[in-house]
Amino acid sequence: SFTLNGTLALNCLGACSFAAGDTFTVMSATNSLTGSFSSVTLNGFAAGLGFDVLYGQGPSASVSLHRSRRRTRLPPRRR
């Protein structure tokens, strides 16, 4: 299990081109994830690029980013 907190800071170190609708996993845990990120910073990504932060639960819990047409948004905090 893993506890999430603070800022999710992502840095693009190469050519990061994501189309609307693309989703990629940032991290995963074998048992569970608790908590959530309070903010997300994107460095080196194209201007105007937005992501929705998705929290998956269950035996293969994960944090994923889904490319959207709007600015990055966080879901409500989980308890």
Side-chain angles (χ1 to χ4, degrees):
S1 65
F2 196 81
T3 301
L4 306 173
N5 191 9
T7 300
L8 173 60
L10 299 173
N11 296 294
C12 175
L13 301 177
C16 297
S17 59
F18 299 98
D22 286 353
T23 301
F24 63 96
T25 301
V26 177
M27 66 179 68
S28 61
T30 55
N31 291 324
S32 67
L33 292 171
T34 58
S36 60
F37 293 107
S38 58
S39 63
V40 176
T41 59
L42 303 172
N43 297 304
F45 291 84
L49 194 63
F51 290 96
D52 295 327
V53 180
L54 309 174
Y55 297 96
Q57 294 299 314
S60 296
S62 64
V63 175
S64 300
L65 295 179
H66 176 79
R67 170 67 170 92
S68 63
R69 295 188 185 279
R70 60 191 169 280
R71 298 182 66 100
T72 298
R73 66 185 180 132
L74 298 168
R77 274 182 107 50
R78 297 177 311 164
R79 301 196 191 273

